[in-house]
Amino acid sequence: MSILGDAVAEAVLQTYDALPRKCKPVEATADFFQWVPLSGIVVVKGDNSRPECLSLGTGMKCLPVDQVAQANGSVVHDWHAEVVALRAFNHFLLHECLELSTSPTRTSPIVRRREAHEISDILGLQPFSIHDDLKLHMYSSEAPCGDASMELLMEAQVDATPWPLDRRQPATRKLPGMLPGREFFGQLGIVRRKPARADSPQTLSKSCSDKLAMKQCTSILSSCASLLVNPANAYLDSLILPKSQYVAHACDRCFGPAGRMKPLAYRTWSGGYAFRPFRVETTEHEFVYSRRSRPASSRELRTSNIAAVHNPHVQEALVVGRLQGRKKFDLKGASAICSKRMWVTTLQVLAALGTPTLLQQVSESSQVRRWKDSVLFADRQQVKADVRVDALAGWIRNDGDNFEVEVE
């Protein structure tokens, strides 16, 4: 337990408590109690300021690989709480950049315009930065799925002995092109997929443990946000977990510079990128909809299908990656944090800034995948490539949703 951990947790929990009823699981009954993971991004200015929750998310599902191509950028692929909170944070940054770019006199307590001498790239990339005196923290009500939670998963089994490996199906080749889920307990430190249950539809979404490990190198900026915001101040300073969800050696193995990320220790890259491992600290606070909060009077534990999205610019309730109440793949049901809408905002910022070189680069194609593979993202892609080779071997790109965004 730490003072910081409790303060960060309180900031997220209090923000969640203020959300409307539609963003939360149904109330507990004698028959069942619905639970859902919660995550949030918190900012702290200096050493003594009150932590402020900038974004939060709940959820625990993701889109099967055979439906990704139909998503067309308008359906959120992965709505695990950590991913939703990160997407909501990037949505917040994009809208702060939009307001700064359309109003020269406006200022933001989180984002600033960079001075001309700070922008050395001839393309004019990353004209904004997070303020230097801010630190970012993440709270999660559950240990991230994947490697950081394997010991907890083993302890929950009747027999915690690691299952023997089937030599005909190595852990990293369970199915052609697929990653292992929960199985193969004896294989620690490997990249895993979600959802982890063997009877769930197959996906190529990497576990939250793996995604957070990657974020220690790429920063917590999304691809589109990284066009606008320099990554140097966009790394997590700490990850806060409930004491009941913290296994020290698992977190060290998963995230630490002496664990599987050791080959990247002290590594730096062009573009402001570096390996910046976060601390993992604990809190005594438990989330009211944690599975550990089930009242004794409720006979059954069930998962909630609601994913809440919140930041100062947006508040939504999602079901299966789209706005609650909308049909599957209906464009009107596209969340504010879906890829297509985030890219539209990014293009609006570029247009407002009047950066002709950047706009020319993106106008050569309307396919987002081509943008990501272009010179615009060369530094970021090099970071990800090195991490996949040196630390997170077996990482498979989830490339099925090759959607387009028109440049006006």
Side-chain angles (χ1 to χ4, degrees):
M1 182 189 75
S2 70
I3 295 175
L4 173 66
D6 281 343
V8 168
E10 286 171 5
V12 177
L13 295 172
Q14 289 171 5
T15 302
Y16 180 85
D17 288 343
L19 297 184
R21 179 70 252 164
K22 70 174 185 177
C23 293
K24 300 174 181 177
V26 300
E27 293 288 355
T29 68
D31 292 325
F32 66 88
F33 171 79
Q34 283 195 345
W35 75 282
V36 70
L38 166 68
S39 290
I41 302 297
V42 171
V43 63
V44 177
K45 182 175 182 178
D47 295 326
N48 300 313
S49 68
R50 183 184 180 88
E52 177 187 357
C53 179
L54 292 181
S55 71
L56 65 75
T58 64
M60 55 193 306
K61 304 289 183 182
C62 55
L63 200 65
V65 67
D66 60 2
Q67 296 180 25
V68 168
Q70 303 171 60
N72 195 31
S74 63
V75 177
V76 178
H77 294 181
D78 181 345
W79 53 97
H80 277 224
E82 294 91 336
V83 176
V84 174
L86 288 169
R87 295 189 73 87
F89 172 75
N90 279 277
H91 176 275
F92 168 78
L93 289 183
L94 291 176
H95 279 264
E96 291 292 289
C97 292
L98 182 61
E99 292 185 6
L100 288 172
S101 63
T102 54
S103 176
T105 60
R106 188 186 183 278
T107 59
S108 164
I110 307 300
V111 178
R112 67 173 177 87
R113 299 177 183 84
R114 297 173 77 199
E115 300 292 337
H117 68 84
E118 296 180 275
I119 307 172
S120 59
D121 193 291
I122 59 172
L123 295 175
L125 292 172
Q126 302 168 348
F128 301 101
S129 173
I130 294 173
H131 284 294
D132 295 343
D133 59 347
L134 301 180
K135 291 185 177 181
L136 300 173
H137 307 270
M138 174 179 247
Y139 162 78
S140 288
S141 65
E142 307 287 333
C145 65
D147 196 50
S149 60
M150 291 308 295
E151 279 80 355
L152 292 171
L153 188 61
M154 285 187 260
E155 289 174 6
Q157 308 300 311
V158 176
D159 180 4
T161 304
W163 300 343
L165 284 173
D166 182 341
R167 293 181 180 177
R168 295 168 297 176
Q169 289 188 324
T172 55
R173 294 187 177 85
K174 180 177 179 289
L175 289 175
M178 291 295 171
L179 295 166
R182 292 179 179 176
E183 68 270 55
F184 305 111
F185 290 161
Q187 295 280 291
L188 300 176
I190 64 171
V191 175
R192 296 178 178 272
R193 65 171 172 85
K194 60 176 77 155
R197 287 172 47 135
D199 58 351
S200 298
Q202 297 282 332
T203 82
L204 282 179
S205 290
K206 269 63 66 181
S207 74
C208 290
S209 289
D210 299 317
K211 289 187 174 183
L212 289 176
M214 176 69 81
K215 296 294 184 187
Q216 294 184 122
C217 298
T218 63
S219 82
I220 61 173
L221 298 177
S222 63
S223 293
C224 51
S226 72
L227 265 184
L228 303 174
V229 182
N230 184 269
N233 294 335
Y235 287 86
L236 289 176
D237 195 62
S238 72
L239 171 65
I240 310 300
L241 299 176
K243 189 175 180 181
S244 63
Q245 293 296 287
Y246 175 60
V247 179
H249 62 270
C251 289
D252 290 343
R253 177 188 66 239
C254 181
F255 305 120
R260 62 178 180 169
M261 306 298 284
K262 184 176 181 179
L264 301 170
Y266 308 108
R267 184 83 62 92
T268 60
W269 293 267
S270 300
Y273 294 101
F275 174 51
R276 298 265 299 276
F278 48 69
R279 306 185 315 277
V280 182
E281 299 189 14
T282 62
T283 175
E284 294 287 352
H285 294 300
E286 287 281 5
F287 179 39
V288 66
Y289 292 108
S290 159
R291 51 186 161 186
R292 295 170 299 285
S293 299
R294 179 177 67 166
S297 58
S298 293
R299 289 191 292 270
E300 184 182 350
L301 190 65
R302 296 182 185 175
T303 58
S304 172
N305 68 340
I306 298 292
V309 181
H310 173 81
N311 69 36
H313 296 289
V314 69
Q315 183 173 278
E316 295 177 338
L318 309 184
V319 175
V320 197
R322 66 192 186 280
L323 294 178
Q324 188 178 26
R326 292 290 183 176
K327 293 181 179 179
K328 203 169 192 179
F329 306 123
D330 179 358
L331 291 178
K332 293 180 180 179
S335 165
I337 65 168
C338 75
S339 294
K340 180 167 284 189
R341 291 187 64 179
M342 301 257 273
W343 272 103
V344 168
T345 303
T346 303
L347 296 181
Q348 290 172 343
V349 176
L350 293 178
L353 289 171
T355 50
T357 308
L358 267 176
L359 286 171
Q360 163 136 17
Q361 284 284 332
V362 298
S363 65
E364 293 175 358
S365 172
S366 59
Q367 288 189 345
V368 171
R369 172 49 58 196
R370 290 190 64 180
W371 296 345
K372 288 185 177 182
D373 290 336
S374 74
V375 66
L376 296 175
F377 294 95
D379 290 339
R380 180 181 171 90
Q381 293 291 15
Q382 185 62 58
V383 175
K384 296 179 79 171
D386 287 350
V387 175
R388 287 194 292 260
V389 170
D390 295 337
L392 301 180
W395 184 291
I396 301 172
R397 290 177 63 171
N398 198 358
D399 285 338
D401 192 359
N402 190 17
F403 62 95
E404 297 185 356
V405 177
E406 293 299 326
V407 181
E408 298 181 358

